[in-house]
Amino acid sequence: MEERTEIATLGEFGLIDHLTKNNEIQNASSVLGIGDDGAVIDHFGKQTVISTDLLIEGVHFDLMYTPLKHLGYKAVVVNLSDIYAMNAVPTQITMSIGISNRFSVEALSELYEGVYFACEKYGVDLIGGDTTTSPKGLIISVTAIGEVAPDQFVKRSTAQKGDLICVSGDLGGAFLGLTLMEREKKIYLENPAIQPDLENETYVVGRLLKPEARKDIIEFFAANQIIPTSMMDVSDGISSEVLHLCKQSNLGCVIYEEKLPIHEDSRHAAYKFGLDPTVCALNGGEDYELIFTLKQEDHDKIVLNEEISVIGYTTDIESGLKLHTKGGNLFNITAQGWNAFNQ
Ligand code: ADP
Ligand code: MG
C-alpha cells in the first residue's frame, strides 16, 4: 500500500515547510520569497502584470481523471498563459490551497511536484501562498506576476480595422480530450471492470491534462520586433475570444473556417465522437493558445512561423462577426460558436 501521512501529523506550518523546503529562486526580481508576511519583487524599471485564477474541484477539475501532478502543473500554466497574453514575461507565482483531511501529505507533495515542474520549465519563482482548510473539495488559487518593458503590454481593446487575426498552435484538442475523459468516466462508473480505452488518443488527452503556455510565441514576438495590436489567450474557445477582442476593440471580423488550425488527431477524435471538428475548434475551451491581431504589414514577419495561423481579419463593427465556411457561406459567430440558423 502507498504511504499515507496525515496532514495533522505535520500541522499547517509543518505542511507549508514540507511543501516549500526545496523551493529555489531563479529570478533576480524575486527579492524576498517564502517565509515572511509578504514577498518582495523588484522589476527594475519594468511594469508589473498580475493575473489570478481560482480552481475548484468539481467545477474546474475532476480528480477522477486528473493526476495531482498534472493538476499542479496545469494550475500554474493556465496563469502563466494570462501573463503571456499581455505580452509580458511571467516571473513569480503565489499558490494558495484549500484542503481537507481527505488529502495526504503525499498527495499534496505530488500536486507541488507539478507546480515546481512548471516553475522550472517557465523560469518562474514560487514566492508565497496560503494554506487553509476546505470542508471537502480541493481549492487552488494561483496568482501569476510578470514584467513587461514600459508600455509594451498588449490589451484586448486595441485592434484596428483591417488587422490580421492570428492564432497559435491548434484548437479544439483539449475539448476533445475532456469529451473522451468524461465518456470513459461514465463507462467506468457504470462498470468499473472496464479499462479505459485511451489508446491513440494521447494527443487530445495531453491537450487537456498537460497544457502549455505559449512562451515561445512571446519570445518570437520579441526576437522579431512584433507587437500585436491586441491579444488574449484562448481559454473559452476561439469564437468567444474573437467576440471579446472585437467587442472591446469596436470591430467586426471575418474568420475563415478552412484556416482554423485543427490537429489531425483532434479531427479523428471528433469524427469518432460524431462531432464537427470546426465546432470543437470554435467552441472548445482550455486550449491556452494565443489569439492576436497584427497590422497587415507585419504579415511577412510571421509567415514562416508554422506555429502561427492567420485565420481572418477585422472589419468595421457594422459588418458584424462572420464565419466564412468552406462552402462559401457567411454565418454569424456567437458566443457559443456560430449559429447556423442565423445567417
Ligand atoms: P501568514 O500567517 O502571515 O499568512 P502563513 O503562515 O500563511 O503566513 O505563510 C507563511 C509563509 O508561507 C508565507 O511566506 C506564505 O506566503 C507561504 N505559504 C503559505 N502557504 C503556502 C502554500 N500553500 N504554498 C506556498 N507558499 C505558502
Ligand atoms: Mg497566510
Side-chain angles (χ1 to χ4, degrees):
M1 226 186 102
E2 257 178 61
E3 209 178 328
R4 180 181 167 102
T5 310
E6 297 300 329
I7 295 169
T9 61
L10 294 182
E12 184 195 331
F13 299 121
L15 175 68
I16 296 171
D17 191 46
H18 177 77
L19 294 178
T20 60
K21 62 177 185 282
N22 295 322
N23 187 30
E24 278 170 27
I25 295 297
Q26 309 172 66
N27 293 287
S29 54
S30 304
V31 177
L32 184 66
I34 290 172
D36 218 303
D37 295 311
V40 180
I41 299 172
D42 186 343
H43 274 144
F44 307 106
K46 298 221 173 139
Q47 289 174 344
T48 302
V49 178
I50 300 188
S51 176
T52 194
D53 267 322
L54 183 60
L55 302 173
I56 295 183
E57 184 180 351
V59 179
H60 303 101
F61 57 89
D62 188 330
L63 289 179
M64 228 181 123
Y65 53 75
T66 313
L68 281 164
K69 193 169 161 180
H70 285 72
L71 181 62
Y73 188 82
K74 183 169 175 173
V76 174
V77 162
V78 304
N79 269 267
L80 302 184
S81 176
D82 281 320
I83 302 293
Y84 291 123
M86 297 301 293
N87 196 35
V89 176
T91 45
Q92 286 86 15
I93 59 159
T94 66
M95 170 93 188
S96 299
I97 49 177
I99 44 178
S100 70
N101 56 13
R102 198 177 118 223
F103 296 93
S104 64
V105 172
E106 286 76 15
L108 295 173
S109 298
E110 246 181 77
L111 180 79
Y112 268 69
E113 243 183 82
V115 169
Y116 288 122
F117 193 58
C119 284
E120 201 184 314
K121 173 149 185 189
Y122 289 92
V124 302
D125 298 325
L126 174 67
I127 55 159
D130 202 13
T131 307
T132 187
T133 51
S134 154
K136 195 158 171 284
L138 176 63
I139 298 173
I140 303 174
S141 173
V142 180
T143 297
I145 299 160
E147 59 177 35
V148 63
D151 305 315
Q152 301 280 294
F153 58 87
V154 175
K155 301 198 286 183
R156 297 176 176 185
S157 58
T158 38
Q160 302 292 317
K161 184 182 162 187
D163 284 350
L164 302 169
I165 302 176
C166 308
V167 66
S168 67
D170 58 82
L171 303 169
F175 169 74
L176 286 156
L178 179 68
T179 306
L180 176 70
M181 293 313 250
E182 288 290 343
R183 191 188 68 165
E184 292 303 325
K185 177 182 164 182
K186 201 163 158 259
I187 294 172
Y188 175 83
L189 289 177
E190 281 163 11
N191 185 352
I194 298 178
Q195 287 302 304
D197 169 27
L198 302 179
E199 220 179 308
N200 306 321
E201 305 292 1
T202 46
Y203 183 73
V204 294
V205 172
R207 291 292 282 167
L208 175 72
L209 297 183
K210 196 175 174 290
E212 301 292 352
R214 296 314 302 247
K215 179 178 197 261
D216 59 324
I217 300 289
I218 298 310
E219 289 171 349
F220 174 78
F221 289 158
N224 292 278
Q225 282 92 48
I226 298 168
I227 298 185
T229 54
S230 71
M231 180 155 58
M232 65 186 294
D233 74 338
V234 184
S235 51
D236 295 336
I238 196 92
S239 58
S240 147
E241 319 301 15
V242 160
L243 217 87
H244 282 298
L245 273 189
C246 288
K247 196 171 174 196
Q248 294 194 31
S249 297
N250 271 316
L251 295 169
C253 72
V254 178
I255 301 289
Y256 292 89
E257 180 186 13
E258 63 176 357
K259 303 281 186 198
L260 291 172
I262 301 173
H263 194 278
E264 238 356 77
D265 293 358
S266 303
R267 211 176 275 284
H268 280 136
Y271 291 141
K272 203 167 124 183
F273 299 136
L275 299 169
D276 180 349
T278 297
V279 175
C280 296
L282 285 171
N283 300 347
E286 296 212 285
D287 286 319
Y288 299 105
E289 296 296 344
L290 293 172
I291 176 172
F292 53 92
T293 51
L294 281 184
K295 292 198 231 56
Q296 280 186 36
E297 55 260 41
D298 281 343
H299 182 253
D300 289 352
K301 294 185 183 172
I302 56 138
V303 74
L304 290 177
N305 188 331
E306 289 183 351
E307 288 297 311
I308 298 177
S309 308
V310 179
I311 60 168
Y313 60 92
T314 52
T315 56
D316 53 30
I317 193 163
E318 288 75 27
S319 310
L321 288 84
K322 302 289 178 191
L323 180 75
H324 188 283
T325 67
K326 286 176 186 163
N329 294 316
L330 278 184
F331 290 117
N332 285 324
I333 297 173
T334 64
Q336 282 79 41
W338 47 291
N339 183 349
F341 303 103
N342 184 15
Q343 285 195 43

